[in-house]
Amino acid sequence: MSIHDAGSAAGTQAARSPEYRVAHLQDRLASGELGELGVRVEVRGGTVRVTGTVPSARCREEVLSTVREELTGLEVHCDIVISEPSSPDHAEEL
C-alpha cells in the first residue's frame, strides 16, 4: 500500500475519535441558533460530559438532539439545567 492510503486510514481513525467528534459538536453548537448558550462538552476517560445552563426546555431538547446526532455510540452524561426566568408567584416581604 502507498503512504497516502495509510494516511487516509489514519485520518479516518482520527475522525472517529471522541475528541474529534466533540470538537465537531462544539462547532455545530457554536455556529447554530444555540451559539449563545453556556454549554460545555468534555471528554473524560471513555465518556463525554455535557454541562451547562439553557434558557428553556426547547433549547435543552435542541442541544440533546444535536448531542445524540453527533455522539451516537459514545457514553454521554448530560447535566443541562434550565434557568427559565419567570415572574414570582407571590409578593416578596421586606
Side-chain angles (χ1 to χ4, degrees):
M1 292 276 151
S2 70
I3 294 173
H4 178 69
D5 289 337
S8 181
T12 302
Q13 185 66 19
R16 293 182 183 172
S17 75
E19 291 82 5
Y20 176 87
R21 293 172 67 189
V22 164
H24 190 262
L25 170 64
Q26 289 172 324
D27 287 345
R28 213 172 138 189
L29 290 173
S31 66
E33 181 182 319
L34 305 173
E36 296 299 317
L37 302 178
V39 176
R40 293 185 51 166
V41 185
E42 318 175 299
V43 178
R44 291 196 174 178
T47 64
V48 178
R49 186 162 184 227
V50 182
T51 59
T53 304
V54 296
S56 69
R58 182 188 65 77
C59 286
R60 182 176 190 275
E61 284 307 312
E62 286 183 39
V63 169
L64 293 178
S65 175
T66 304
V67 168
R68 281 190 290 269
E69 287 176 22
E70 290 293 331
L71 304 180
T72 300
L74 294 176
E75 184 177 345
V76 178
H77 298 279
C78 290
D79 187 20
I80 300 175
V81 179
I82 300 169
S83 68
E84 212 163 348
S86 60
S87 58
D89 58 353
H90 62 281
E92 181 179 357
E93 293 183 33
L94 300 176

